[in-house]
Amino acid sequence: MDDRHSTYTGSRQARLMAEVQSRARRGGRPTSAREMTRQRLSLGQLLRAAGPGLITGGADNDPAGIATYSIVGATVGFTMNWLLLLSTPMLIVIQQMSAKVANVTKSDLATLLRTSFGARIATPAVLLMVAANVITMGADLLAMGAAFELLTHIKFIFWIVPLAAVMAFVTIFTDYKVMSKYLLWLVAVFSAYIVAAFVARPNWGEVLQSTIVPQLSLSPDYLIGAVGLLGTTITPYLFFWQASGEVEEKRGVQGFSRRNVDITAGMIWSNLTAFSIIVVTGAVLFSHHTAIKTAADAARALEPVAGPYATVLFAVGIIGAGLLAIPVLAASAAFGVAGLAGWRRGLGRNPRNAPQFYVVIGLAFLIAMEMAISAIDPIKALFYSQVLDGLIAPVLVVLLLMLTSSRKLMGDFVNGLPTKVIGWAAAAVMVLADVALAYQVATNGLPG
């Protein structure tokens, strides 16, 4: 870690604890460090709270995620809307834990896993995340190329290399502060899906009922859809990006209130986007029994029923999602590898000061680009990336719960009872999703 950063954040922690102790000595009401960090935010402060949480929420809906939600909507309609409602508080709590442990310890998640649990646990957890990220990047590049082909009628293969080159350049050579502003603006692109949901004119009464009343099924389509939806929503790379983003922002423990607003807004925006995609495809494609395999297929299929505007909105959303998510996927992979190896890391660093970190980012783009050019089967790519995410996500959630419940590590900032309950519930739900996935593979084989 940067010595100046450690000194700066350490002094803030020291001042905070000194104030707590001073109040206790003066005979006032004992005040914990946690209580000292709570603050009421003005409207201006709320608006300025946007940061890693909102970017994380946008990155959660990458083109691969859009494809997953589209397939869910086209295959089973609105019947999984309730899962999005259920996963929202879980996603918020998990991301808040990722941010909190980084704010308190001033360290990224991969480093904490290595120093707290040892290389035997940290290495497979991080490397599985990295593998899933690179596979997802390849599928995302392919989806972006297909979306550009849909809009321009220029074959998708000609878009992949320029897209990868531009995003790699921005990720490697742009300062974090500049890059974060670029990513924040891209989050707004997902409003296209909210507009598309109204253009599709669904039966809103049916949509609301499916969101509030759980609908369960043991059909293979439903089970694989549920696994894909949960794996796409609560995905491991978000944990690493959130923690690293907090370190980059240097918000510290005194930024807890802003952090919580940022993360809550980001996760709600993420699941609102996913909800809108399912509404669009459920209203238009499921009702007309239209089979799709990719997000671009969904965009094409919308035109005959919902008109060209829905198609354009859907395609623009895919492109914007890729521009936002792919740099985050590459950076979170690099943070993971660098944290394991103990290398210098950080998007705020010059490439010459953290060469290994940026080499990992470059390699991630190169491998993903090669996968996309080789015309990988996008459905298989999605499936295998979700398998890896599904395997590691509940393990990482449990490790996060252990880290953030350690008083030795967290001091007064250990998890409260609500966080523990929701966190363990999230781990249990994801384990059930893994069991459902194993059942699907054992009884019906691999999809696609």
Side-chain angles (χ1 to χ4, degrees), residues 68-93:
T68 301
Y69 298 131
S70 300
I71 293 167
V72 166
T75 305
V76 297
F78 308 137
T79 57
M80 289 190 196
N81 284 1
W82 67 276
L83 273 177
L84 283 176
L85 185 64
L86 176 69
S87 69
T88 301
M90 295 178 179
L91 187 56
I92 291 171
V93 164

Side-chain angles (χ1 to χ4, degrees), residues 385-443:
S385 66
Q386 294 311 313
V387 167
L388 292 174
D389 281 340
L391 288 172
I392 195 58
V395 176
L396 281 173
V397 171
V398 170
L399 294 177
L400 259 177
L401 282 162
M402 293 171 67
L403 286 173
T404 49
S405 298
S406 167
R407 188 163 291 278
K408 179 180 178 181
L409 188 68
M410 302 296 291
D412 282 340
F413 301 102
V414 291
N415 290 331
L417 182 60
T419 297
K420 290 180 180 178
V421 170
I422 296 173
W424 283 107
V429 167
M430 285 183 284
V431 168
L432 288 175
D434 283 347
V435 172
L437 178 63
Y439 170 82
Q440 161 68 15
V441 172
T443 56

Side-chain angles (χ1 to χ4, degrees), residues 13 93-113 116-117 239-240 242-244 246-247 252-253 256 259 263 399-406 409-410 413-415:
Q13 285 267 53
V93 164
I94 291 169
Q95 292 305 124
Q96 286 182 346
M97 286 194 295
S98 301
K100 180 170 67 173
V101 75
N103 291 146
V104 172
T105 65
K106 312 302 179 294
S107 185
D108 59 88
L109 186 54
T111 300
L112 286 169
L113 292 176
S116 300
F117 301 110
F239 313 164
F240 289 84
Q242 185 71 54
S244 300
E246 296 295 331
V247 174
V253 294
F256 272 13
R259 178 210 72 192
I263 290 173
L399 294 177
L400 259 177
L401 282 162
M402 293 171 67
L403 286 173
T404 49
S405 298
S406 167
L409 188 68
M410 302 296 291
F413 301 102
V414 291
N415 290 331

Side-chain angles (χ1 to χ4, degrees), residues 334 337-338 341 343-344 351-363:
V337 174
W343 297 332
R344 287 184 178 179
R352 286 174 293 185
N353 293 329
Q356 300 101 323
F357 172 77
Y358 285 103
V359 164
V360 175
I361 290 178
L363 286 174

Side-chain angles (χ1 to χ4, degrees), residues 287-309:
S287 61
H288 289 81
H289 308 289
T290 305
I292 63 169
K293 290 187 176 182
T294 68
D297 288 345
R300 289 188 193 94
L302 288 172
E303 185 166 2
V305 182
Y309 292 113

